[in-house]
Amino acid sequence: MARSIHVLRSGALGTALTALLLSITLPSSAQELADTTDTTPVMSHQEALSLDAEEFTKTSSLSEEDMESRLELENEIAGSIEEIRTISGSRLSAVYVLPEEALAIHVRLTGDNEIERLSELSSSLPVPLHVEYGATYSQEELVEATNEISERIVLENIKGVDGVEVSGTTESLVFVTNSEADNSTRSSLVGIASEVLGPKPDVASRGVIHSPIGVVFEEHEGSAENTSRGGVALSSCTSGFTVVSGSVRGFLTAGHCGNTQKFSTTPTGSLTQSSTFKSQNYGKAADIQWHTPTVAASFKQFFGSSATSATTQLGTQTTYVGQGLCHRGKVSGYSCGYVTSVSFAPTWSEACNGLGCSAVFVRASGTNLANRRGDSGGPWFGGAYAYGIHSGGLIADVGAWAAFTPIAKISTLGVTLYK
């Protein structure tokens, strides 16, 4: 089957319907009451996480019980990883976990001087912390370079490149390419990377010049495709989580889906409901928008690991490399994969509304990860925790990779998760 990269047109809202919208007319004063009268079954975080564990064990040697414990720990340490990023500051080169190993946090830093606060934090963590010093580049420097490279790929119209990212685990850049890329393309990309991140003297080594950063090519079949933008009905999109601004509730979806949307109230329902566009952030650093339902009520739930039972929205978390997360799309349904980078810049056509994308998107891949046209706008989650809003990726029923906007970006819309 031919596979291709596509900025996905999202599917019917009910797919991820975090908004879990009822197809009944209610006055605004009755919306709180509606939360208690809906008959849709609702799962707890633990019940949802159990289904995630079942999905991940299809490609893991862990038992479902052990996988569930691991996924619970992954959610638990998300806050600690954010603290590590803060403590490390401008010296942070990478922080990640390795899916194929016992759960542990790995940190790589520039310079040779130890950071005592990391040692102090280590004793309070539920998993081991491994710190490596002596990295050549900080993550901040790598992201800045990736942003410049992304801009050049778009401006120079380099074909066959669907994205570039800071490797989550090694000190290198990863170019995600398709069948249009040839040796000349790869040579050009190496040249650009060398120009942007060329040899750098190491002060600690008294001026010794390091070689340019490593460049890795991740090649996939297929090619990038253009996508129609404004005016795409939500019948070909997926909804994300329920959000609130003051007393106004609504639902998230992808910015490229268009501003006029109808939706269903279940993953398989008909498009009977109307919505009102509120605002969007669709450009270099995000692909999100939100709408309010015209007559239906909104709920603190979303369809995630189940298409028949909704999951309670527990809150938001920080994403990190190596983490196992899942998503739901109208077309592909429910599938899971592992985060490969939190500094990914898509470069497929119109990925960022005609602009060069910044390296702030998250990319995930997996043996069983699915990604189809129609999935855009859907939720990325771990159990009941919200992590992001789906944007696009490699079109495939299995073995896909996908990119999403981190959930923290919803603050730019003036909304917060409804929970």
Side-chain angles (χ1 to χ4, degrees), residues 1 25 105 132 137 142 154 216 231 233 237 241 288 292 300 305-306 309 370 380 385 403:
M1 178 186 72
T25 302
I105 301 173
E132 174 188 347
Y137 294 96
L142 293 175
V154 173
V216 177
C237 287
F241 302 100
I288 50 175
T292 55
K300 303 175 183 178
S305 50
S306 170
S309 294
W380 276 85
Y385 285 103

Side-chain angles (χ1 to χ4, degrees), residues 152-183:
R152 289 188 58 173
I153 290 172
V154 173
L155 289 173
E156 297 175 24
N157 196 27
I158 300 177
K159 303 295 185 182
V161 190
D162 297 311
V164 56
E165 69 187 18
V166 177
S167 170
T169 56
T170 63
E171 198 172 0
S172 59
L173 293 178
V174 179
F175 288 98
V176 183
T177 61
N178 58 55
S179 56
E180 288 188 76
D182 54 19
N183 288 335

Side-chain angles (χ1 to χ4, degrees), residues 28-78:
S28 58
S29 61
Q31 287 204 356
E32 289 297 336
L33 178 62
D35 285 352
T36 63
T37 57
D38 179 46
T39 58
T40 300
V42 178
M43 294 189 296
S44 67
H45 166 67
Q46 213 58 51
E47 291 171 321
L49 201 69
S50 178
L51 293 178
D52 291 350
E54 182 181 344
E55 184 67 20
F56 275 110
T57 52
K58 294 177 181 178
T59 56
S60 169
S61 60
L62 295 179
S63 66
E64 288 185 17
E65 182 179 359
D66 288 342
M67 179 58 76
E68 185 173 341
S69 296
R70 181 186 176 100
L71 293 177
E72 188 65 81
L73 266 178
E74 287 187 1
N75 280 311
E76 183 181 336
I77 65 174

Side-chain angles (χ1 to χ4, degrees), residues 184-202:
S184 177
T185 302
R186 287 183 279 272
S187 179
S188 295
L189 294 173
V190 171
I192 291 174
S194 296
E195 288 176 30
V196 175
L197 267 175
K200 175 183 177 181
D202 187 339

Side-chain angles (χ1 to χ4, degrees), residues 42 46 85 104 122-123 185 189 210 216 233 315 320 330 332 385 394 414:
V42 178
Q46 213 58 51
R85 288 172 177 162
S122 177
S123 61
T185 302
L189 294 173
H210 288 265
V216 177
Y320 55 92
K330 171 180 173 55
S332 68
Y385 285 103
L394 180 70

Side-chain angles (χ1 to χ4, degrees), residues 2 5 34 39 41 57 117 122 126 132 144 148 187 192 203-204 233 239 245 275 283 288 319 387 401 417:
I5 299 297
T39 58
T57 52
R117 288 180 62 194
S122 177
E132 174 188 347
E144 184 178 345
E148 184 176 341
S187 179
I192 291 174
V203 176
S239 70
S245 176
S275 66
I288 50 175
T319 308
Y387 283 91
W401 64 261
L417 192 73

Side-chain angles (χ1 to χ4, degrees), residues 5-343:
I5 299 297
H6 190 79
V7 181
L8 303 179
R9 297 181 185 175
S10 299
L13 245 168
T15 328
L17 199 58
T18 31
L20 201 60
L21 307 165
L22 284 179
S23 55
I24 58 175
T25 302
L26 292 171
S28 58
S29 61
Q31 287 204 356
E32 289 297 336
L33 178 62
D35 285 352
T36 63
T37 57
D38 179 46
T39 58
T40 300
V42 178
M43 294 189 296
S44 67
H45 166 67
Q46 213 58 51
E47 291 171 321
L49 201 69
S50 178
L51 293 178
D52 291 350
E54 182 181 344
E55 184 67 20
F56 275 110
T57 52
K58 294 177 181 178
T59 56
S60 169
S61 60
L62 295 179
S63 66
E64 288 185 17
E65 182 179 359
D66 288 342
M67 179 58 76
E68 185 173 341
S69 296
R70 181 186 176 100
L71 293 177
E72 188 65 81
L73 266 178
E74 287 187 1
N75 280 311
E76 183 181 336
I77 65 174
S80 298
I81 287 182
E82 186 60 32
E83 186 175 359
I84 289 170
R85 288 172 177 162
T86 300
I87 292 172
S88 302
S90 61
R91 291 182 59 187
L92 181 67
S93 179
V95 56
Y96 58 93
V97 302
L98 294 171
E100 67 275 13
E101 295 182 1
L103 189 59
I105 301 173
H106 298 263
V107 181
R108 188 168 61 251
L109 302 169
T110 60
D112 296 321
N113 297 328
E114 293 187 8
I115 298 179
E116 291 184 8
R117 288 180 62 194
L118 286 181
S119 299
E120 295 170 0
L121 177 64
S122 177
S123 61
S124 64
L125 293 174
V127 299
L129 174 64
H130 303 300
V131 182
E132 174 188 347
Y133 294 88
T136 305
Y137 294 96
S138 68
Q139 188 172 74
E140 192 175 287
E141 290 173 315
L142 293 175
V143 168
E144 184 178 345
T146 304
N147 290 341
E148 184 176 341
I149 292 169
S150 169
E151 291 276 4
R152 289 188 58 173
I153 290 172
V154 173
L155 289 173
E156 297 175 24
N157 196 27
I158 300 177
K159 303 295 185 182
V161 190
D162 297 311
V164 56
E165 69 187 18
V166 177
S167 170
T169 56
T170 63
E171 198 172 0
S172 59
L173 293 178
V174 179
F175 288 98
V176 183
T177 61
N178 58 55
S179 56
E180 288 188 76
D182 54 19
N183 288 335
S184 177
T185 302
R186 287 183 279 272
S187 179
S188 295
L189 294 173
V190 171
I192 291 174
S194 296
E195 288 176 30
V196 175
L197 267 175
K200 175 183 177 181
D202 187 339
V203 176
S205 301
R206 298 184 181 180
V208 173
I209 302 297
H210 288 265
S211 298
I213 193 169
V215 173
V216 177
F217 291 96
E218 183 181 311
E219 301 181 351
H220 297 273
E221 296 178 0
S223 60
E225 297 180 5
N226 292 325
T227 302
S228 296
R229 294 291 169 172
V232 180
L234 206 61
S235 57
S236 57
C237 287
T238 302
S239 70
F241 302 100
T242 307
V243 291
V244 61
S245 176
S247 61
V248 179
R249 303 184 210 168
F251 57 83
L252 295 168
T253 190
H256 71 258
C257 290
N259 300 347
T260 303
Q261 308 292 351
K262 284 185 175 292
F263 62 90
S264 62
T265 60
T266 64
T268 57
S270 59
L271 303 173
T272 58
Q273 301 296 320
S274 298
S275 66
T276 300
F277 170 79
K278 299 299 290 184
S279 65
Q280 69 178 12
N281 182 354
Y282 175 33
K284 295 171 68 70
D287 181 11
I288 50 175
Q289 64 180 219
W290 77 292
H291 298 246
T292 55
T294 303
V295 297
S298 304
F299 296 89
K300 303 175 183 178
Q301 304 150 6
F302 67 97
F303 286 110
S305 50
S306 170
T308 55
S309 294
T311 300
T312 299
Q313 293 185 172
L314 195 58
T316 62
Q317 291 280 31
T318 300
T319 308
Y320 55 92
V321 173
Q323 183 180 24
L325 294 177
C326 303
H327 87 110
R328 174 169 289 279
K330 171 180 173 55
V331 180
S332 68
Y334 163 66
S335 64
C336 304
Y338 293 95
V339 175
T340 61
S341 178
V342 296
S343 303

